[in-house]
Amino acid sequence: MARGNAGASRRQGPAAGFSLLELVAVLVIVGVLAVFAAPRLTATQGITLSAVREQLAANIRYTQSLAMSRGQRYRINFAANSYQITDMGGAPVVQPVTASTAPISVAPVTLSGYNPPLTGNYVAFDGRGAPYVSATAPLAGTATIILTWGADAGSVSIAAETGSVR
């Protein structure tokens, strides 16, 4: 009977495993990678705030476009952690992002600091795209909506008369 190489796969000599030098080298490499990766992981707050700001600005433009294309007033209603597009009677419109009539949540971002104050917490647009703060009162000056998340803040502005969003 031939024995073949049945024992050839077994390691001969000292116990199998990593040497101390190999383990230290791996730990140093992981440490260097962690130093460069950690700041990027904590920067997601700013990225998320920026994304919410851009989404809100796009939906304000959508509300204005909807009013102009249909020739009637539509508004965007603001709450602390959400907003919703409705007609002037308050009936919800299908939201472009979610394809539902439910309010769009921006949590943990907070919407506040409406300047000038939005008495009904909304901005409406007429058939020409002009912004209003009530059924009859046009937006008197540039409206600024402040978005905050922790220590980070951003804003969206709506120009009076034209409704231009920045």
Side-chain angles (χ1 to χ4, degrees), residues 116-131:
L118 304 175
T119 54
N121 287 347
Y122 70 84
V123 172
F125 294 95
D126 66 9
R128 297 177 299 114

Side-chain angles (χ1 to χ4, degrees), residues 34-120:
V35 166
F36 289 106
R40 293 176 189 252
L41 295 175
T42 59
T44 59
Q45 181 170 323
I47 293 169
T48 302
L49 182 66
S50 176
V52 169
R53 191 190 85 66
E54 291 301 320
Q55 178 186 15
L56 175 60
N59 282 329
I60 293 171
R61 289 184 196 103
Y62 173 75
T63 305
Q64 182 184 35
S65 171
L66 190 64
M68 291 169 54
S69 65
R70 296 191 180 173
Q72 60 188 42
R73 288 192 183 190
Y74 284 88
R75 66 186 191 190
I76 186 161
N77 306 288
F78 302 104
N81 297 107
S82 65
Y83 60 90
Q84 184 175 35
I85 302 169
T86 65
D87 64 15
M88 279 307 285
V93 173
V94 173
Q95 311 298 320
V97 173
T98 62
S100 116
T101 58
I104 296 173
S105 174
V106 294
V109 174
T110 303
L111 304 175
S112 63
Y114 311 121
N115 183 25
L118 304 175
T119 54

Side-chain angles (χ1 to χ4, degrees), residues 20-30:
L20 182 60
L21 183 61
E22 291 170 325
L23 288 174
V24 169
V26 168
L27 289 175
V28 167
I29 291 170
V30 168

